[in-house]
Every structure is written in structure tokens, then in C-alpha cells.
Amino acid sequence: MQTIVVANRKGGVAKTTTALTISHALAQEGLRVLLVDADSQANASGHAGFKRAGAAPAHSLSDLLVDEGGAAVEGVAVQTPWGVDMVGADTQRLLASERELSQAVGGDRWLAGRLREGDGRWDLCVIDTGPSSDLVTRSALVAADEVIVPVQLEPYSAIEGLRQTLGLLGAVRRHLNPELRVSVVPTLRERNNVHAELEERVRAHVEELEDVDMAPVVIPKRTAVRRAYAAHTTVIESEPRDDAAQAYRKLARWLAERAGCGVHA
């Protein structure tokens, strides 16, 4: 099982939407997909119908962030309405897990070990992360085979947020996960000259780097995506012919091919 992490140290760049939508797209292509919510805000969990802290499910990601005695990943995952198995997040328990990880030797490798137990049951694992560089996010990056970095095309923040994220990923590569693949996808692209110029700046920045790839797709900003999110589904299901749905399908197929799980176009 290959693991794809969606990460950016800047918030509001469509990380959760990207994680949810590519997971759905991959499942529609016939792949067995495990989605993990590693964001303490638990937005992906809420979207999938998981209850938040205070009335949380019996199991969550925190059950996997332990050295010994934790639940098996198969026992934690629950099927979503769109055919993706999901490990949800419980905000309060995840904050407690963060404290435990900070006191443990090698704690940032526990999640990778737990996910390896899922080899054979799932083809791909997609992990949604929060904007912070906490130990839960680090655990996800250690477990990852690939990180996809969504970059919102906004003035003053697109390049700076990308630089901060690539700096973190560079450190992870040097010290924890040298085989990590990194790719970048522009998101929330509008039809105007400002966004066209920002997209070119992002592409130029990535082209200067030897170990970062540019995804062959741009995710447009569309009201169809917001409507789908409000309806607790994804644009893949609600408006499959929308160009945002088509862009996410193309991104999912590209990531699957890089992971060795190619699907038919």
C-alpha cells in the first residue's frame, strides 16, 4: 500500500477538499482506498459524518498513534458513504496523542508501522493533515511515499507558503524519509490575469528545484465544489461533469500512476 499525504503549512488551500475528492476519485476507479484524517480540526471526519470530540466514535486515529497495544487499522477504519474506508480524528484525543508522541522515542514512526499492517487490504492510503508542523503531521510525513502540496493562487501567500512547506519536507527527507516524493498542484484557480501570473510563478519556482514535481493539472475554483462540500459529498459524485471534478480525477489518476497503481484514463 502506497501512502499519499496532502500537506501545506498554510491553511485555506483546499487540503481537506483535495484529500476527500482524490480519495473518492480513486475509489471510483476501482482502487481500494483508506483515508486518514490527521488534522486536529477533524474537518474531513466531520464531512464524512464522523462525530466530533465529546461524542466521538469508539476508535479514531489516536488508536494507531501508540507503540504497543493499539487497535489494528482494520478495526479503526469505517466505510464512508462514497466507498472509501476512513480513519477519523477525535480532536481531544489527537491533542493528547500529540503530547504522548512528544515524550516518546521514535513515536513519529508508530503510524507508519500501523499503516504497514494494511498492506494487501488497501491499494492506496490518503492522509489529510493540518497546517501546523506538529508531531502528528510529522508522523504522517514519515509514513508517506508521496506528498502532494496544494497551493492556493493568492498574492503574497502562494510562494511563501510553498517555500515554508518545502522547507519542512526537505528536513523530513534529510532526517526521516529520504525516499519521499513531493509534488505541487495549484488550487482555487480563477479565470483572471492575477491567477495566471501566480500560476506561472509557482511553476517557475518548482522548475528550479530538482526534487519536486509539478502535477499536470490545475484545480479551478468552482461553486460546484462548495455545493458538494455543503452536501457532505464530493464534486466527483454531485457534479461529475464539472471541470473541477475532471481536474481532480486527472490528479488522482496521475498520483495513482506514480504510486504504481495506474488506472485507465
Side-chain angles (χ1 to χ4, degrees):
M1 179 176 69
Q2 289 270 298
T3 297
I4 300 167
V5 170
V6 184
N8 191 322
R9 295 191 68 181
K10 183 181 181 301
V13 299
K15 286 191 300 293
T16 297
T17 299
T18 297
L20 289 164
T21 311
I22 63 172
S23 296
H24 193 175
L26 291 165
Q28 281 203 342
E29 297 289 351
L31 295 175
R32 299 166 298 171
V33 182
L34 175 67
L35 174 62
V36 177
D37 189 352
D39 183 356
S40 61
Q41 298 178 60
N43 289 327
S45 300
H47 182 80
F50 285 64
K51 293 181 179 179
R52 301 295 184 91
H59 295 295
S60 68
L61 175 60
S62 296
D63 293 294
L64 305 181
L65 295 173
V66 294
D67 189 15
E68 297 179 351
V73 63
E74 291 90 345
V76 176
V78 176
Q79 192 171 67
T80 68
W82 53 86
V84 173
D85 290 338
M86 183 173 185
V87 174
D90 173 351
T91 298
Q92 295 304 316
R93 291 190 65 200
L94 204 54
L95 293 174
S97 296
E98 172 76 17
R99 292 190 292 271
E100 183 176 350
L101 289 170
S102 69
Q103 299 170 6
V105 176
D108 52 13
R109 299 186 182 277
W110 292 350
L111 178 59
R114 292 292 181 182
L115 291 179
R116 279 195 294 272
E117 298 171 2
D119 285 348
R121 174 156 184 169
W122 294 284
D123 300 306
L124 285 169
C125 173
V126 177
I127 304 181
D128 183 31
T129 62
S132 67
S133 54
D134 57 24
L135 285 170
V136 175
T137 296
R138 186 189 303 176
S139 296
L141 296 176
V142 170
D145 296 288
E146 171 130 13
V147 175
I148 181 74
V149 183
V151 177
Q152 182 185 17
L153 296 174
E154 286 296 327
Y156 313 114
S157 61
I159 299 297
E160 184 56 33
L162 178 58
R163 283 178 177 148
Q164 291 180 9
T165 303
L166 294 180
L168 170 64
L169 297 178
V172 170
R173 270 175 163 166
R174 288 191 298 273
H175 302 293
L176 298 170
N177 189 354
E179 301 303 316
L180 183 65
R181 301 187 302 272
V182 178
S183 52
V184 173
V185 59
T187 61
L188 302 172
R189 167 73 147 84
E190 297 184 47
R191 299 187 184 99
N192 58 52
N193 291 336
V194 172
H195 278 208
E197 180 181 346
L198 285 168
E199 181 186 336
E200 289 307 311
R201 287 179 58 195
V202 169
R203 290 185 182 279
H205 182 72
V206 171
E207 287 173 359
E208 293 176 355
L209 307 173
E210 295 182 356
D211 52 359
V212 180
D213 296 319
M214 196 78 187
V217 62
V218 176
I219 308 299
K221 184 176 182 179
R222 296 291 182 267
T223 57
V225 177
R226 293 201 299 271
R227 285 195 296 268
Y229 196 87
H232 292 271
T233 184
T234 77
V235 71
I236 297 293
E237 179 177 22
S238 62
E239 300 184 49
R241 294 187 179 181
D242 187 87
D243 56 353
Q246 295 173 22
Y248 271 121
R249 280 198 196 91
K250 184 175 180 180
L251 176 62
R253 289 167 177 157
W254 182 73
L255 290 169
E257 289 172 0
R258 284 165 66 88
C261 302
V263 296
H264 297 294

